[in-house]
Amino acid sequence: MLTIGITGGTGCGKTAFLRCIEARGGVGIDCDALYYDLLRTDGALRAALTESFGAVFRPDGSLDRKRLGTVVFSDPAQMETLNRIVFTHVRRAVETIRAREKSAGTALLAIDAINLFQSGLAELCGTTVGVLAPEEVRLRRIMRRDGIERQYALLRIRAQEPDGFYTARCAHILQNGEISPEEFQIQANALLENLIKENAT
């Protein structure tokens, strides 16, 4: 089973590459989506977050993402604590899904994770792809996507690793800046074709 790790900062377009893989019949694991699913279903994860950060869950049980973000994005020690908790629970879930798909005979699997290397998830991958974009492009995307103001969007971006972190570690890089979604898809599909061919040899 070819396992491709996809990473890069928020707003770079990792999910667009994940969708290309799914369109080819691959199975995609979106670790952001998995994390938010675990926030609803994993009692141990919820307990660990409450113990470390206090009342970060709303009365309806949902995570107050902005409240938690305001704490961790401005405090490296708090961010490290959050990451340690999240990485533990998400990696366990990803390993379970990957083992299940491998047993089912799945040929192509993608793990989309902003912290692919920091969490140890890269160790589960046969190759890695970093998706990058300029800061201003990312700002526009996440402000539009998440309905947040520029300053909070900037906090989120600057709390993450710089481009050099990904270029130094990823086997492949996709640039997703001032190009159309169609142009990006062409580039992404070309890379995917090459990765599949390399794995077949």
Side-chain angles (χ1 to χ4, degrees), residues 57-125:
F57 290 95
R58 299 186 182 95
D60 66 0
S62 63
L63 178 71
D64 188 335
R65 187 175 181 180
K66 189 168 182 179
R67 181 172 182 171
L68 178 60
T70 301
V71 173
V72 301
F73 291 139
S74 57
D75 186 337
Q78 293 280 55
M79 177 64 85
E80 187 176 337
T81 298
L82 174 63
N83 285 339
R84 187 173 63 252
I85 293 168
V86 173
F87 294 166
T88 298
H89 291 271
V90 171
R91 175 165 178 159
R92 186 180 301 139
V94 169
E95 287 175 338
T96 299
I97 296 168
R98 185 174 181 273
R100 183 186 70 212
E101 293 299 332
K102 192 170 184 178
S103 295
T106 296
L108 179 61
L109 180 80
I111 302 171
D112 173 354
I114 196 168
N115 289 307
L116 186 76
F117 293 97
Q118 301 92 321
S119 64
L121 286 170
E123 297 164 12
L124 305 178
C125 303

